Structures are given as C-alpha cells and as structure tokens.
Amino acid sequence: MPTRARQTQRRNQVLSREQIIATAIDLLDTGGEGALTVRAMTDRLATGSGAIYYHVGNRDELLDTATETVITAALAARPGGAEATPEDEIRAVALALFDAIAEHHWLATRLTLQIIRNPVGPVTVGIFERLGQQVGALGVPQARWFSAASTLVHYILGAVSQNARIEGDASGVDPGADREEFLEATSQAWQDLDAETYPFLYAIVGQIREHDDREQFLTGIAVVLDGLTHLR
C-alpha cells in the first residue's frame, strides 16, 4: 500500500522547472555538490528521474542551471538612491556576489568553472556586461575595458572564494572549521613569531582577529576602483 500511495503521489504531482531548481539549490546548500544526486532529487520531489531530465537535463546541466539562477538574482542588485554612481553600481554587484557565495558555499567552485568553461554562457556574459558597462562609465579608455573588467572579476572571485567551502581535492583543509577559532589560532601563531624578523605580521595580529570579511572585501573593491579611474 505505501508503494501504491507513493506512485499515486507521483502521478498527481505536477512539477515545474522552478521547483526542481529550488530543490537542487536546497540540496547543494545543505550538503554541497556531493548531496546533489538523482536519487536525492527524486526522493525529495517524489517523482521519477524522467521529469528532472525533461525539465532541466542531466546532473551537470542541473548544476549549471542552479548556478545561473543564483547569479542572475545577484546581478539584479541595484544600489539605493536615484543618483547612483558607477562606483556605487560596481559595489552593489560585488557585494551581491559576495553575499550569494557566503550563503551558497558551493557556488564559488561552480561560478569559476562557468567562467572558464562557458565564456558565452549567461553567467559569464552577465557578470562581464554588468560590470563592464560601469567600467566604461568610470572613464576608463575603451582599449583598457577588457583588462579593467577582468581585474574586477578576478578580484571578486578570488576574494569571495576565500570564504567559501572548498570543493574537490582539499587535503589538509577542514571545510567545517570555525572561522573565529581559525583566526585566533593564526593571530596567536603570528604573535609568537620573532618581532624583529617579522615586524609587519607581528603588528597586525590584532587586526586579524577583529577584521570583518565584508569590510575587507569592500576595501579591496575601493583599491581596484581607485586604480581603474587612473587608467589612461
């Protein structure tokens, strides 16, 4: 009888593409890429694998679609205020991407792969177009647009990936390590260094413990923007 009830539930349930994508994102958020399996999807949605393949495709296509969905939402971010400057627009996009990867730790790896493997895909062209338009508005010469936009993208991806779960081969790295414990241990280790040999590291041990990742990220954006506005 339970089997029959389950089959009836499957027949009566009308799945949408949006439901499938939302479920995939939830599984990824909960357990990373390893948690996203066809079996887990069919169990969660009470459906057969055919419905998933019909709406989205195979597992790799589902991963790409989940990435595209989250990034598209992030790229829709706009700064507050009617008189937003190009700098405001860039900061809004950068922070939206930062927050998206902070919320979805699996995203950093998938985002990097999208940009490398699919340069004409919606994720890559969406990020470059959104940031690139503002690079032009900053007054950067057109001959330097690609280099300027690439610098922004590389900084954003590199910075946000430091706060993300590491997928794949990560020997010696504990993805579940507590941030505060890690920073405290690092600052203590640097404080134990010889102050005359490592004067800079010795001087910033307090800043390591107390820094805010978001503020540090925005400082980097400010440095990059300052450099871009002086490109000639």
Side-chain angles (χ1 to χ4, degrees):
M1 186 64 87
T3 301
R4 183 183 184 122
R6 182 176 177 79
Q7 290 173 343
T8 302
Q9 181 186 10
R10 287 184 174 182
R11 286 198 298 269
N12 291 339
Q13 185 180 29
V14 179
L15 283 177
S16 68
R17 189 171 187 271
E18 290 72 22
Q19 284 176 296
I20 294 172
I21 296 169
T23 299
I25 292 173
D26 184 58
L27 286 170
L28 288 164
D29 289 345
T30 303
E33 287 192 26
L36 184 63
T37 64
V38 174
R39 176 64 179 272
M41 289 289 295
T42 56
D43 285 349
R44 182 73 67 89
L45 293 167
T47 189
S49 59
I52 297 172
Y53 292 132
Y54 174 79
H55 283 289
V56 182
N58 60 32
R59 182 178 182 275
D60 286 339
E61 291 171 314
L62 184 55
L63 278 165
D64 288 345
T65 301
T67 302
E68 178 185 337
T69 299
V70 176
I71 294 300
T72 298
L75 292 177
R78 292 291 187 275
E83 302 297 326
T85 65
E87 291 90 344
D88 294 333
E89 294 281 353
I90 288 172
R91 277 191 289 267
V93 174
L95 274 179
L97 292 172
F98 180 95
D99 290 341
I101 291 178
E103 181 179 356
H104 309 283
H105 288 173
W106 54 271
L107 187 59
T109 302
R110 301 311 306 181
L111 177 55
T112 301
L113 289 174
Q114 279 276 321
I115 290 176
I116 293 172
R117 296 177 179 175
N118 195 6
V120 296
V123 169
T124 305
V125 299
I127 290 174
F128 270 89
E129 185 64 29
R130 183 84 167 82
L131 292 173
Q133 288 185 16
Q134 305 310 317
V135 164
L138 283 172
V140 175
Q142 187 169 350
R144 310 293 293 275
W145 281 2
F146 174 71
S147 294
S150 296
T151 298
L152 266 173
V153 172
H154 292 161
Y155 169 74
I156 291 170
L157 290 182
V160 297
S161 294
Q162 293 183 48
N163 300 304
R165 179 182 300 140
I166 299 173
E167 299 282 358
D169 184 9
S171 301
V173 177
D174 178 10
D178 181 79
R179 176 184 181 276
E180 299 301 325
E181 291 179 0
F182 172 79
L183 293 177
E184 179 63 33
T186 300
S187 62
Q188 184 60 56
W190 286 9
Q191 192 168 24
D192 292 340
L193 293 172
D194 181 73
E196 292 186 4
T197 306
Y198 302 99
F200 173 76
L201 296 182
Y202 190 82
I204 65 170
V205 290
Q207 297 174 34
I208 295 173
R209 287 191 297 266
E210 300 166 3
H211 86 276
D212 179 87
D213 292 333
R214 226 164 171 263
E215 289 301 320
Q216 184 185 58
F217 178 69
L218 282 176
T219 298
I221 291 293
V223 171
V224 174
L225 289 178
D226 185 64
L228 294 183
T229 56
H230 289 86
L231 279 177
R232 292 294 181 265

